[in-house]
Amino acid sequence: MARRAAFLKQAKHQPGHRLLVAGGDFFAPGGPEERIKGRDMLAAFRMMGYDAFTLADLDFSGGLDPLAAALKDPALVTTNLVWADNARPL
């Protein structure tokens, strides 16, 4: 995280437009400590100014509760996730 933050701080001073999207796998399988790490990782991305998040397969390993609590903002961007009960896009 420290290297990523330093890179983004330096890149902020260079010309051009940027859209920062974090690519998922925040929540690894495991116990409560993995949920805490995932929550803290998302908080760090918010502090670094990320514009959006997307999810990957490992993010669902702890169920939807940790995700729902952690992904309040910024935006969740996804193109292929659907609800299991009705197959409607998430």
Side-chain angles (χ1 to χ4, degrees):
M1 283 297 169
R3 285 187 212 158
R4 185 183 305 240
F7 171 78
L8 292 175
K9 186 176 181 180
Q10 179 185 14
K12 204 178 355 178
H13 300 293
Q14 297 173 359
H17 299 285
R18 288 173 187 74
L19 177 65
L20 296 176
V21 179
D25 282 339
F26 310 110
F27 298 96
E33 68 280 352
E34 295 302 328
R35 286 190 293 277
I36 292 169
K37 286 180 193 175
R39 183 196 66 208
D40 291 349
M41 187 183 313
L42 286 169
F45 283 139
R46 282 187 195 95
M47 289 171 46
M48 287 186 269
Y50 273 71
D51 300 299
F53 295 119
T54 189
L55 301 174
D57 57 340
L58 289 180
D59 292 318
F60 297 95
S61 62
L64 286 179
D65 290 338
L67 287 175
L71 291 174
K72 302 231 186 247
D73 63 291
L76 173 64
V77 179
T78 181
T79 60
N80 61 352
L81 290 178
V82 296
W83 293 106
D85 59 348
N86 60 16
R88 295 178 99 185
L90 185 65

